[in-house]
Amino acid sequence: MSDVYSLEGKVAVVTGVSSGIGQAIAVALAREGANVAGDYLSNAQGAAETARLVEEQGREVLIIQGDTGVEGHVQELADRTVERWGRLDIWVNNAARLMVRPFFETTTEDWHGLLAANLHGYYYGCKAAAQRMRGKGPGRIINITSEADVQVISGLSAYITAKGGIVGLTKVLALELAAYDITVNAVAPGATETPLNKVAYTDAVRAEYNKRIGLGRIGVPEEVADVVAFVASHASRYITGQEILVDGALSINGNVGHAAT
């Protein structure tokens, strides 16, 4: 290949494309040459904007409404993608929601409701993608996890349980699907400016992040999306079963202000 980073001729699916990181990923993959399919739960206006941005890159787009916590919807998304373009090369599981709630205040309904999209939806996506990529590789499955499964935050018991489960799924599938020339990796954003974090990121939270992140600022969705575009490309062909942190050095920062000796 003359350009190992090019996605020209590829077809990608990205779940949860109506805003934030999902929208940025859809645009980044289109920028590199892929046609893009995706879905959204309720933000039709945001999904329409994503479609416009993908088409602005000169690529074709297909976006449908549905809940990734429902397996039938995920299978429909995969089927319609293959019907439209005749192939499926890249699948990015991104759709998720955030719930910040102390463990003792988390109901059984809260727990299962969050895991439906945040964990089960990733299983459904991996299954749908692997079924259609098997025997037709190379294929790329990319799961969006979180820096929070490495450096945990209290109040996120269900969310971090889901992200940790996705890391385990990623590693096992990397081994099981290697024989089919399908790589499976996770990309873990750190603190990132997205609508998902709008309420949780108070002024005090932002100040703390700016102090603790090695690069001195909260990230933006495009910085995560560019890493996903790399992992989706031929350039990443010997990387599988990995969780790649995109966190500006937040997770490695143990500085507490030691005095010089």
Side-chain angles (χ1 to χ4, degrees), residues 76-97:
E76 179 191 3
L77 176 59
D79 283 339
R80 290 184 61 177
T81 300
V82 174
E83 287 169 7
R84 175 72 178 272
W85 292 294
R87 60 188 299 160
L88 175 56
D89 305 289
I90 301 157
W91 186 288
V92 183
N93 285 308
N94 166 77
R97 68 183 182 90

Side-chain angles (χ1 to χ4, degrees), residues 188-207:
T192 309
E193 296 282 9
T194 70
L196 189 71
N197 294 321
K198 187 175 181 180
V199 174
Y201 284 9
T202 64
D203 289 344
V205 169
R206 290 176 181 281

Side-chain angles (χ1 to χ4, degrees), residues 32-188:
E32 298 304 324
N35 292 324
V36 180
D39 68 356
Y40 69 98
L41 181 61
S42 58
N43 184 2
Q45 183 175 354
E49 174 64 7
T50 301
R52 185 190 70 80
L53 292 169
V54 169
E55 290 173 342
E56 202 173 67
Q57 302 297 320
R59 309 314 306 173
E60 297 178 10
V61 63
L62 168 69
I63 299 179
I64 67 173
Q65 190 276 334
D67 183 351
T68 55
V70 177
E71 184 173 13
H73 161 68
V74 177
Q75 289 288 340
E76 179 191 3
L77 176 59
D79 283 339
R80 290 184 61 177
T81 300
V82 174
E83 287 169 7
R84 175 72 178 272
W85 292 294
R87 60 188 299 160
L88 175 56
D89 305 289
I90 301 157
W91 186 288
V92 183
N93 285 308
N94 166 77
R97 68 183 182 90
L98 180 67
M99 181 176 69
V100 183
R101 194 162 300 167
F103 181 71
F104 285 121
E105 297 175 17
T106 301
T107 67
T108 300
E109 291 74 21
D110 291 334
W111 182 270
H112 288 288
L114 186 108
L115 264 61
N118 287 36
L119 179 58
H120 302 159
Y122 280 57
Y123 159 68
Y124 300 147
C126 288
K127 180 180 178 182
Q131 287 172 333
R132 289 158 182 82
M133 292 176 182
R134 182 171 55 182
K136 300 177 181 179
R140 301 281 184 267
I141 297 175
I142 303 167
N143 295 319
I144 304 303
T145 52
S146 173
E147 185 268 348
D149 68 51
V150 176
Q151 188 178 69
V152 302
I153 301 170
S154 61
L156 296 179
S157 57
Y159 181 84
I160 293 175
T161 294
K163 296 302 187 183
I166 294 164
V167 174
L169 178 64
T170 297
K171 292 179 178 180
V172 173
L173 290 185
L175 291 178
E176 292 195 13
L177 300 181
Y180 302 103
D181 198 14
I182 301 170
T183 64
V184 188
N185 289 289
V187 173

